[in-house]
Amino acid sequence: MSDYKTVQALKQIDSQIAAPFRGIFILRRKTVKTARTGNPFLSIEIGDSGGSFNANCFDGTPVYEALVEASEGSIVRIAGKTEYYQDRFSPKLQAAEVIEASEAEAEGVLSQLVEIPPEPEEELWADIVAAIAAIEHPQLQETVQRVMDETATQFRTSTAAINMHHAYRHGLLEHTTHMVRACRALLPLYPQVDPDLAIAGIILHDIGKLEEYEGDFAAKVSRIGTLQGHVVLGFRTVRKAAIQCKLNADLTERLEHIILSHQGEKEWGAAAMAATPEAVFVSMIDNLDAKMGMVQRVLRNTPEGEQFSEYLMGLQTRVLLTPPDKT
Amino acid sequence: MSDYKTVQALKQIDSQIAAPFRGIFILRRKTVKTARTGNPFLSIEIGDSGGSFNANCFDGTPVYEALVEASEGSIVRIAGKTEYYQDRFSPKLQAAEVIEASEAEAEGVLSQLVEIPPEPEEELWADIVAAIAAIEHPQLQETVQRVMDETATQFRTSTAAINMHHAYRHGLLEHTTHMVRACRALLPLYPQVDPDLAIAGIILHDIGKLEEYEGDFAAKVSRIGTLQGHVVLGFRTVRKAAIQCKLNADLTERLEHIILSHQGEKEWGAAAMAATPEAVFVSMIDNLDAKMGMVQRVLRNTPEGEQFSEYLMGLQTRVLLTPPDKT
Amino acid sequence: MSDYKTVQALKQIDSQIAAPFRGIFILRRKTVKTARTGNPFLSIEIGDSGGSFNANCFDGTPVYEALVEASEGSIVRIAGKTEYYQDRFSPKLQAAEVIEASEAEAEGVLSQLVEIPPEPEEELWADIVAAIAAIEHPQLQETVQRVMDETATQFRTSTAAINMHHAYRHGLLEHTTHMVRACRALLPLYPQVDPDLAIAGIILHDIGKLEEYEGDFAAKVSRIGTLQGHVVLGFRTVRKAAIQCKLNADLTERLEHIILSHQGEKEWGAAAMAATPEAVFVSMIDNLDAKMGMVQRVLRNTPEGEQFSEYLMGLQTRVLLTPPDKT
Amino acid sequence: MSDYKTVQALKQIDSQIAAPFRGIFILRRKTVKTARTGNPFLSIEIGDSGGSFNANCFDGTPVYEALVEASEGSIVRIAGKTEYYQDRFSPKLQAAEVIEASEAEAEGVLSQLVEIPPEPEEELWADIVAAIAAIEHPQLQETVQRVMDETATQFRTSTAAINMHHAYRHGLLEHTTHMVRACRALLPLYPQVDPDLAIAGIILHDIGKLEEYEGDFAAKVSRIGTLQGHVVLGFRTVRKAAIQCKLNADLTERLEHIILSHQGEKEWGAAAMAATPEAVFVSMIDNLDAKMGMVQRVLRNTPEGEQFSEYLMGLQTRVLLTPPDKT
Amino acid sequence: MSDYKTVQALKQIDSQIAAPFRGIFILRRKTVKTARTGNPFLSIEIGDSGGSFNANCFDGTPVYEALVEASEGSIVRIAGKTEYYQDRFSPKLQAAEVIEASEAEAEGVLSQLVEIPPEPEEELWADIVAAIAAIEHPQLQETVQRVMDETATQFRTSTAAINMHHAYRHGLLEHTTHMVRACRALLPLYPQVDPDLAIAGIILHDIGKLEEYEGDFAAKVSRIGTLQGHVVLGFRTVRKAAIQCKLNADLTERLEHIILSHQGEKEWGAAAMAATPEAVFVSMIDNLDAKMGMVQRVLRNTPEGEQFSEYLMGLQTRVLLTPPDKT
Amino acid sequence: MSDYKTVQALKQIDSQIAAPFRGIFILRRKTVKTARTGNPFLSIEIGDSGGSFNANCFDGTPVYEALVEASEGSIVRIAGKTEYYQDRFSPKLQAAEVIEASEAEAEGVLSQLVEIPPEPEEELWADIVAAIAAIEHPQLQETVQRVMDETATQFRTSTAAINMHHAYRHGLLEHTTHMVRACRALLPLYPQVDPDLAIAGIILHDIGKLEEYEGDFAAKVSRIGTLQGHVVLGFRTVRKAAIQCKLNADLTERLEHIILSHQGEKEWGAAAMAATPEAVFVSMIDNLDAKMGMVQRVLRNTPEGEQFSEYLMGLQTRVLLTPPDKT
């Protein structure tokens, strides 16, 4: 275990003591303010997956210099001393440094910083790779592959949502892989569904989210996300790749239709109602895995001993957390 | 091929000719009216899966005697002569006889009378039997088995709905079996779901429909169906069996909860929102197979050469019927 | 007047003074936390109908011992000294003891602890007793009596809701009695309504709430309440009693139907739409008394001198509180 | 029994016979058309509470002269001969005469022409008179009296609706009287409600319908009804009377508020949400009697032997018609 | 006036006479059926803006040969004799010929065939041309011009809708021109709105309808219209032109956003909510002209003497047709 | 620039210093409380358009005397010393005085106190005056003029809303003038709309808001506003003036209909759906200017440098604030 303290650990230190500490955190918010002296200072919020705290960094200090150019969502290594002001944890920061995600991973603290899926990214990704390889229609396979070639890094780390299901790092990859697996399991039961189209549609259905959100560790909706939404953005990406790969007109339309209709209802953002066997199928699997993903997350994250989870908007109820009594 | 004519065949006979014919049909509607003479007569509608026609049967005739006590939804063997009145097909009926479904089946005309699933009833049923056998928890298995023992005949022939998905003979069996298959395919992907509970819940989820509908070949909502609805009726059936089989309290509650919540939304009739992993899972599979069942049916039933189906209320669109161009 | 201080009285004491006090309160929340020493301590919220405050009870103290096993919603007698920390009222607790509701009543402080109806419980209950006695059909009377025999204590004290109408101690009894009275007043006007069924339906319509909520003085939804809801729970209770009392099938179905349909709309939890004269009647009286109960409560509770109440969700407006000018 | 034939009786006459007949009917629709000769003719629909038929009246005939100026909704005495054309009942009309409702009543056929309530108009009206007399506040009583003085004839005969509850002749009187009775029965239970205001509000709540609809025996929405709606029209009538009777400002506002809010929800036409004890009370009694009125009507009108009524939009279900089994 | 008869004129001919006639009509529906002889025949519906009739064309006749390959929506010149069968107008067709819209126009009957706007197409179009010329930003102007160059013929004749506003030939042109005029009138009042973007957005906002509908004189939704909808189709067209014209990224996004958001609400098909001054502005002008277009059309089309129009779904009321009394 | 400090300026003064200051503010809230001594004190909130703070005024002090009778929404001149308590700005007040709005205006601080439109009130008002003068129908002009004569002062200063569009001082005047301008610009395009009625309808459409809200500088819904709503209140005002000016019945009804229908949808408060050309027109212009007003305000008020505004409920999105790139 590293000697980097988590926010929870820092807050458990006796408030009377000024204890020196080191930590790696996400820079959640950063605002430039003007002090009464007329000089600027930074008001920042930093935190990890277990909590956060505020601090001020005054002009001319090394911490100010280190953070003044940092963007929200950066990872920062901090050194400081614990301190309380007005009963709130307000540590004195002595040094700060923006570091790469890879370094946080190397230090073994990345999973403390942000929530991640229980299954390793590599395993999830391997199933996407295999699913693409199994697409038999050459231009369809090439279309999916081309989109993945251009987006893989982002696709593998992005969240699937800001508020709802799979709303965490690698959430989009996890959700997509789970849908691929569900699709392959169900395809034998619905022979009316073309497997190539269904798999291609699933892998690409949420690809527009890579443009809809921005910010690596503190996702928010981007300009283009506000102006167009992920359904249209995904449609654009898929259409461009399909044209480049000379996918025939019929398959292009059907693939685009899966993207355009996967949200299920117009008020949830669907541009068209699902009207092909594949589009109905993908839309239903999306809904199934989204809801099951909420159940899985809440089972994973709620502290031991609770009978019910908090109320979940997406399920309109609390979830029973205890296992069935199979005696 | 039998010499029984279908309604479509009868209507293709030259309207100028009074051709003698025999046919086996469903008695769809039967109303007793009073003629101007003061005598009663029957106004009936009879038909098969391809159409229907009206006829009057006057007091004292053999046809009147044969049908006056018949209930709507009966199967009748008819002999008559074709005739047209005011440009409408109005055959003269000469003999009529109520027969059993088994006889219609023996004559090989049952599938002309009513829509049935493409897969034989026996195959569909075999998967239910196997799924029950695979439930490991003894009392849970016994609970499902007991309900099936009491309802099997009806369960195997009933429709799953009057208007929406799987709305045809054996439709409930087909929908339930498809859900069982989907469940088994998906269970490895969602280890948080208890397989025994999910399978038991699926087999029993719509069992209340056996009481909600009445009428063998012309389903309508029964008195108890109007007063309680299939969700509560299914809950009663399952609860009674669970108590008789001494299923423990926790499993009983969870099984009941699957029945009570499977409709997904309160306005669709759910008594509670799905709040266990198994209930969310069953509710989502129900929705998936209901929608896919509409797609399958429309692909099966729309005449060759149409590009799109009629508008389907359940999918809020027309369905594209042509296969993808995989060249 | 007792020497027990209310929360309001405690907060009016000069904050500079450490005044000793005694009080009887509800234990609203209780959480076990771990101190920096590694020892457990209790973080509690206690209060009465006029407010609440927080306190910490450290391991090894008599207060800790007295409360560590107490459940939320218990009544506690407290001795302590007033104290302020960071401008918040944070008294030092010196002794604590869980007591029975009866003792709080004996001390004359029960009505300070929780909101109660203006009419004495005994009077409200007497009308329920009389209404049962007036049911003429023997098995129907017996059915209602049996349910009451099993639930009377709880029925007489329970709230009718957590948030909406009659949401206070004895609220269920008050609401039910008011509905009984309204029913008796209206029955002569609607001779299509069977009096026995209407009265029985009213007395039992919300009986499922006794299982839906739990916690004597701090009601929250129970496990079974989340999984089934009060409509189904009430249906179960009534069905069981009807079978035990050999109520005939027709009356059983009609009585059950009143329970299942009384919520009025499917999205408010009705399992079926009211389809008998009695069910429509009970459902409308329920709605009338629920809305009038909100009006009565707000007239009772708003401080003198206000022209309008706060905005009430259930009425979608503020209520005018001043009396009409009848000069 | 008169020798006037009803539509049902006419249709039972042997279609081969040209039988002379007399009848009194409502002129439901009347359109002037141009024949191929260039001459005008009338295409009319006439009927009674049991059905209707069409006929053409050619220029220059006595029937044409008698009806060319008649307005839709008139009562007409007809003489003619039965005749069938293309299998439809198309009698030849030989004489026609517009008569007054009073004459139809004298002939004892008014109740065949239109649906009316089971209780005599006089009895219903007597309760309105008594209720007005019991209003204690002089100006409030005078306000109600003044409105009634101006509208009594119309108020006593008008329908309460076109499609929904109490949609028949005298329906408004019946509904209002039933609400008055319900109000008087319930007032002792809700002492927060001012009796004078509640009774005045009930008697006047739907008074705007007298202007919203037009046409004595074939109600349709008038010009002012389309442009303003009955809520605003009623408000105008009541406000004018209140000012003329010098009702004080507070009572005027409260009375107006009852009219403006009685529809209960904005989407049903309420101009404001009920915000006084009286307005909530009147609005709830209106809803209760509207729903019970639908139940009463359907019990009254459905033919013997039916178990369930047709599906009623206003109740969102079919109504069980058989009486409870009280054995 | 031509000697071509309209449907209305044909139906006014004495039904006893077999009058020879000529007419130019739209072929509305065409179905190939099989006669009892086993030979095919055509069942067709033909009509003009004033009505329609059915006819059968038997194999081997010249009419059959002339129409067997004609597509629905074609214009046909017919010669025949009037005839009635079963009281329905069923003329005998003797000759038929598919002709071009230009020929119908030359014969002066085009406006009898289909509804068209009151203002000549040329005038409407001139305003579009002028508006494009007035766009100052070169690439933006070029983008609009390019789309118009590719679609002008279709754009000038297409309907704006199937059911709702401006649902007739040239309706899209009329609606777009009216919006352009409204925009120019309002621009001085909202200086926050960029004129170039607003005008470009208006001209292109419904361009996707050219692909959403198909069929020249009998519009229905096309395959791509069902799969993608006009919002996405318009977006595609505009995006392609913008890229070809090297429109800068910011303007391209803003122009696309106007197309994507103009429907106003997600449930009406908007892919994004209007989030720029221009998008809000265009969306509001679209709504204003759509509603006013319904008013204009109903004032134009309702027969003299009616006080109110039929009920209009789009306005949720009937429209008062008489002019204000300005005396 | 005056020496009166704004709230923002006061909060920037060093918290360690007790700096004397003067300021002019709105008295936002005022509550009388009882101190532990038994004496009353005032707890007040005062502020300007840039923020607010709380203070207590004790019995017997000059500030207490000056404010005890002041009503919420008054303008007060304050003298005091800055002070911080528990980290919150809690100045010590030394003198207070209620002043008139005119004095605040004379001191040049009115625009600091409350938000106002960018265009001077006089210019906005001049357009209303001119629009009234241009109404050609004498009684219609007189009707509008009469209403304005009675309400002008209030009409010119009132807000158009509490929460939504144009929710600031003079907002009603600004919104109405903008609608008048839009109307005049659009009238030539919609000749079916009567200009006199449209202009009169626009000027009066929201006149009921003068009674719906109360409080000069801190608007809240009045008693009559709660009981009747601005639609009915405006209808009353307009109807009274129309009768006084002998406006003919047809125009009175049409003018009233514009008021009653301008909200557009029943759930937004429309008493009737717009059913005349003028009513549809006014309702659409109202919607257009309301939405554009939100855009204008947010462009005006958001600090430099932000790309998007906050999320706006009325537009259901954030607004892009940066200007288009017209290079």
Side-chain angles (χ1 to χ4, degrees), chain D residues 14-15 17-19 21 81-85 88-92:
Chain D
D14 187 332
S15 64
I17 297 170
F21 71 89
K81 265 192 200 162
T82 61
E83 193 171 308
Y84 278 74
Y85 179 68
R88 253 181 293 145
F89 180 63
S90 310
K92 189 147 286 175

Side-chain angles (χ1 to χ4, degrees), chain D residues 223-229 232 235-236 239 249-254 256-257 260 266-273 275-276, chain F residues 223-229 232 235-236 239 249-254 256-257 260 266-273 275-276:
Chain D
R223 171 179 150 141
I224 193 78
T226 300
L227 297 185
Q228 306 202 343
V232 168
F235 165 81
R236 280 169 53 169
R239 177 164 182 76
D250 178 73
L251 292 182
T252 300
E253 260 185 28
R254 288 172 192 263
E256 288 170 357
H257 176 65
L260 291 172
K266 293 243 167 125
E267 51 270 53
W268 305 338
M273 294 304 295
T276 62
Chain F
R223 170 179 152 142
I224 194 77
T226 300
L227 296 184
Q228 306 203 345
V232 168
F235 164 81
R236 279 170 52 170
R239 178 166 183 74
D250 179 73
L251 292 181
T252 300
E253 261 185 28
R254 288 172 194 261
E256 289 170 358
H257 176 65
L260 291 172
K266 294 244 167 125
E267 52 270 52
W268 304 339
M273 294 304 295
T276 61

Side-chain angles (χ1 to χ4, degrees), chain D:
Chain D
M1 191 185 272
S2 80
D3 68 337
Y4 294 113
K5 291 279 188 290
T6 63
V7 173
Q8 273 188 344
L10 285 176
K11 289 188 173 174
Q12 278 164 9
I13 296 173
D14 187 332
S15 64
Q16 309 304 339
I17 297 170
F21 71 89
R22 296 207 314 149
I24 293 178
F25 306 107
I26 308 284
L27 178 61
R28 293 237 168 92
R29 299 245 178 292
K30 190 195 73 175
T31 325
V32 182
K33 293 188 172 172
T34 304
R36 292 181 201 126
T37 59
N39 293 334
F41 70 98
L42 299 179
S43 166
I44 63 175
E45 182 193 339
I46 57 185
D48 57 21
S49 68
S52 66
F53 56 86
N54 295 297
N56 291 337
C57 316
F58 293 96
D59 183 30
T61 64
V63 177
Y64 180 91
E65 297 308 321
L67 298 183
V68 68
E69 298 297 331
S71 54
E72 295 182 354
S74 303
I75 305 185
V76 292
R77 192 194 334 254
I78 295 288
K81 265 192 200 162
T82 61
E83 193 171 308
Y84 278 74
Y85 179 68
Q86 300 287 359
D87 214 27
R88 253 181 293 145
F89 180 63
S90 310
K92 189 147 286 175
L93 304 192
Q94 296 166 323
E97 178 189 8
V98 174
I99 63 174
E100 292 299 303
S102 56
E103 191 170 348
E105 207 158 9
E107 296 278 12
V109 299
L110 190 56
S111 66
Q112 286 167 21
L113 289 183
V114 288
E115 187 182 346
I116 57 169
E119 190 174 346
E121 178 191 343
E122 282 310 322
E123 283 184 26
L124 293 166
W125 177 245
D127 273 20
I128 299 289
V129 171
I132 299 175
I135 296 175
E136 294 182 4
H137 190 274
Q139 289 85 28
L140 195 54
Q141 189 197 54
E142 203 189 326
T143 301
V144 179
Q145 189 62 56
R146 179 180 283 262
V147 175
M148 282 294 116
D149 287 350
E150 286 163 5
T151 63
T153 317
Q154 222 190 322
F155 178 80
R156 291 174 62 165
T157 55
S158 176
T159 177
I162 291 190
N163 287 316
M164 298 292 286
H165 66 98
H166 300 90
Y168 41 80
R169 193 166 171 85
H170 306 305
L172 180 59
L173 172 62
E174 187 195 34
H175 173 48
T176 305
T177 304
H178 285 188
M179 282 177 65
V180 164
R181 292 173 183 164
C183 175
R184 298 177 79 136
L186 292 172
L187 274 168
L189 308 179
Y190 298 101
Q192 298 79 7
V193 174
D194 181 81
D196 281 1
L197 266 173
I199 288 291
I202 282 173
I203 295 175
L204 301 177
H205 83 288
D206 265 350
I207 204 73
K209 294 205 166 167
L210 302 184
E211 293 175 87
E212 188 179 29
Y213 305 141
E214 70 187 4
D216 215 25
F217 288 94
K220 61 180 184 188
V221 177
S222 66
R223 171 179 150 141
I224 193 78
T226 300
L227 297 185
Q228 306 202 343
H230 85 271
V231 168
V232 168
L233 288 166
F235 165 81
R236 280 169 53 169
T237 299
V238 169
R239 177 164 182 76
K240 189 175 157 200
I243 290 170
Q244 289 171 329
C245 299
K246 304 191 192 323
L247 187 63
N248 72 41
D250 178 73
L251 292 182
T252 300
E253 260 185 28
R254 288 172 192 263
L255 182 60
E256 288 170 357
H257 176 65
I258 295 174
I259 314 301
L260 291 172
S261 67
H262 79 269
Q263 293 284 96
E265 301 282 345
K266 293 243 167 125
E267 51 270 53
W268 305 338
M273 294 304 295
T276 62
E278 294 79 22
V280 174
F281 191 61
V282 171
S283 161
M284 287 292 103
I285 291 177
D286 189 11
N287 199 13
L288 181 148
D289 187 63
K291 293 265 166 65
M292 288 307 295
M294 294 179 212
V295 171
Q296 293 176 317
R297 185 186 194 187
V298 96
L299 284 170
R300 206 156 72 214
N301 289 352
T302 313
E304 193 80 11
E306 294 289 324
Q307 188 181 29
F308 276 97
S309 72
E310 290 293 304
Y311 184 91
L312 299 185
M313 282 301 295
L315 298 177
Q316 293 173 56
T317 189
R318 304 177 295 148
V319 172
L320 183 62
L321 301 169
T322 53
D325 172 10
K326 296 294 285 289
T327 57

Side-chain angles (χ1 to χ4, degrees), chain B residues 223-224 226-229 232 235-236 239 249-250 253-254 256-257 260 266-269 271-273 275-276, chain C residues 223-224 226-229 232 235-236 239 249-250 253-254 256-257 260 266-269 271-273 275-276:
Chain B
R223 170 179 153 142
I224 193 78
T226 300
L227 297 185
Q228 306 202 343
V232 168
F235 165 80
R236 279 170 53 169
R239 178 165 181 75
D250 178 74
E253 261 185 27
R254 289 172 191 262
E256 288 170 357
H257 176 64
L260 291 171
K266 293 242 167 127
E267 53 269 54
W268 304 339
M273 294 304 294
T276 62
Chain C
R223 169 178 154 144
I224 194 77
T226 301
L227 297 185
Q228 306 204 343
V232 168
F235 165 81
R236 279 169 52 170
R239 178 165 182 75
D250 179 74
E253 260 185 28
R254 288 172 192 263
E256 288 170 357
H257 176 65
L260 291 172
K266 294 243 166 127
E267 52 270 52
W268 304 338
M273 293 304 293
T276 61

Side-chain angles (χ1 to χ4, degrees), chain F residues 28-50:
Chain F
R28 292 239 169 91
R29 299 247 176 291
K30 189 196 74 177
T31 324
V32 181
K33 294 187 172 172
T34 304
R36 292 183 201 124
T37 60
N39 294 334
F41 70 99
L42 299 179
S43 166
I44 64 175
E45 181 194 340
I46 57 185
D48 57 23
S49 66

